[in-house]
Amino acid sequence: SSFFRNTLTLISGTVATQSIVFFFSPVLSRVFALVDFGYLANYTAWVAVLVLLGNLRYEQAIIVAKGRRNTNRAVVLTGTLSVLSCLVFAIVAVVIYFFCPGGGYLRDLKHIVLFIPVGVLVTSISSLFIQHNVKTGKFKLLAGVTATQVIFTIGPQILLGLLHVKDALIIGTIIGFTFTAVVFGYFL
């Protein structure tokens, strides 16, 4: 049945993705210090919460929208909310970075705060396109891009880490989500 075939396709993409991460984990752990993973975890937590606040989870409406016109409206609404929230978050990030004194948690937040709006935007747009591809049944594309996203995340992370680029884990994550958004946007 098509349900079984689509489920198997998504499972195979997930297994491939997890296998790639598992294979490269020892390399990442040797290239980066624990503090780098801490900054990545902090960044990821902020991005995850702000994506939810920024687009109000309207990307979920894409799946249940009836007809092409309503689907397109849900896509436009979600995209607009994502861009506008990113602009608000960028203003807040600049204020925190330049005008807040650096003590305690704010010192650690200042280290990553300028990356957060960019991460929110690319993650929101990726999520929007993922939901659209789920609605249109492009499960092979979803599985393939998900597995490829990991390569486009881990590859730059390792390369930038070996070059001693500051915040390489965060930059690599942004590159991976940007890749996903661009590829899914192309096939939209």
Side-chain angles (χ1 to χ4, degrees):
S1 79
S2 65
F3 175 76
F4 179 73
R5 192 171 52 251
N6 292 336
T7 302
L8 191 59
T9 300
L10 291 177
I11 289 172
S12 65
T14 302
V15 168
T17 300
Q18 295 302 317
S19 299
I20 294 167
V21 172
F22 180 77
F23 180 73
F24 283 102
S25 290
V27 177
L28 289 169
S29 68
R30 282 167 183 69
V31 172
F32 296 102
L34 290 177
V35 70
D36 296 319
F37 289 104
Y39 285 132
L40 177 63
N42 198 4
Y43 160 83
T44 303
W46 276 103
V47 168
V49 170
L50 293 177
V51 164
L52 294 174
L53 291 174
N55 63 20
L56 303 172
R57 299 299 290 174
Y58 271 101
E59 78 275 10
Q60 299 296 321
I62 294 168
I63 294 175
V64 297
K66 303 283 188 225
R68 186 179 183 110
R69 185 173 184 193
N70 288 332
T71 300
N72 289 343
R73 285 181 177 170
V75 168
V76 169
L77 175 63
T78 304
T80 302
L81 286 171
S82 298
V83 170
L84 291 176
S85 66
C86 178
L87 292 174
V88 171
F89 298 148
I91 292 168
V92 172
V94 167
V95 168
I96 290 171
Y97 188 80
F98 288 109
F99 300 112
C100 287
Y105 181 69
L106 273 181
R107 182 184 66 241
D108 292 334
L109 185 60
K110 284 176 84 167
H111 183 83
I112 63 166
V113 74
L114 296 178
F115 291 111
I116 291 172
V118 177
V120 168
L121 181 64
V122 297
T123 304
S124 295
I125 299 301
S126 293
S127 180
L128 181 157
F129 290 152
I130 287 169
Q131 297 305 323
H132 189 274
N133 282 295
V134 167
K135 180 178 178 95
T136 57
K138 297 179 181 174
F139 298 107
K140 286 183 182 176
L141 178 66
L142 284 166
V145 172
T146 301
T148 309
Q149 176 188 2
V150 171
I151 295 168
F152 274 86
T153 299
I154 293 176
Q157 286 174 333
I158 292 171
L159 178 65
L160 294 172
L162 291 173
L163 295 173
H164 303 288
V165 173
K166 186 177 174 184
D167 301 313
L169 286 172
I170 295 171
I171 293 168
T173 301
I174 291 171
I175 290 170
F177 275 101
T178 302
F179 165 79
T180 302
V182 168
V183 170
F184 283 147
Y186 178 78
F187 289 105
L188 187 66

